[in-house]
Amino acid sequence: MKMTPSEAFVETMVANEATDMFGIMGSAFIDAMDIFAPAGIRLIPVVHEQGAAHMADGFSHVSGRHGVTIGQNGPGISNCVTAIAAAYWAHSPVVIVTPETGTMGQGLGGFQEANQLPMFQEFTKYQGHVCNPAPGWANPGL
């Protein structure tokens, strides 16, 4: 059964028992936002991504579960760096979801394009990158 990327994202969050997310929603996640509530995921909106990541850290401490933060691509995600580093050094189970320029448009100066993975490499246990599955496409930088 085919599903949209947003449906796959939300289904993955549900499968991993995410019930609360902290973050700023915008163009990168607007279609996913419509299916969070029906899937049992509560979005706690914030005015700054750093606050969202700190809230996910705090949530993990009080709930004993992983905290999830979500932000906007480019500068929005860079706002999370300090809070994610703090969560890492506190051994908090925090997941950060970061959108970015589409795979096929990387390197073309797209809207708020930033090389995000290196920003977090020193204080994350795992980083994953989802690429366009188009045949013959490869990103040699990943």
Side-chain angles (χ1 to χ4, degrees):
M1 177 169 150
K2 285 190 173 188
M3 62 177 73
T4 68
S6 291
E7 290 169 336
F9 166 62
V10 171
E11 201 167 290
T12 300
M13 293 292 103
V14 169
N16 286 281
E17 302 177 3
T19 57
D20 299 273
M21 284 188 184
F22 305 90
I24 294 179
M25 294 302 290
S27 59
F29 288 101
I30 205 73
D31 51 339
M33 190 165 64
D34 291 337
I35 54 179
F36 280 163
I41 298 172
R42 179 175 63 149
L43 172 69
I44 295 93
V46 300
V47 296
H48 195 277
E49 285 92 347
Q50 185 177 30
H54 281 303
M55 290 168 74
D57 183 12
F59 176 86
S60 73
H61 285 275
V62 299
S63 70
R65 299 175 34 230
H66 59 282
V68 181
T69 187
I70 191 170
Q72 285 301 305
N73 49 318
I77 294 306
S78 69
N79 290 333
C80 294
V81 171
T82 300
I84 295 300
Y88 176 80
W89 291 115
H91 305 285
S92 302
V94 173
V95 175
I96 179 171
V97 179
T98 63
E100 68 177 346
T101 302
T103 304
M104 303 301 278
Q106 288 179 351
L108 300 177
F111 180 64
Q112 296 187 336
E113 184 174 357
N115 193 7
Q116 298 173 174
L117 293 176
M119 289 185 219
F120 297 95
Q121 71 186 11
E122 296 298 320
F123 37 80
T124 52
K125 289 190 176 195
Y126 173 78
Q127 292 187 342
H129 186 259
V130 180
C131 293
N132 185 325
W137 193 90
N139 186 342
L142 298 178

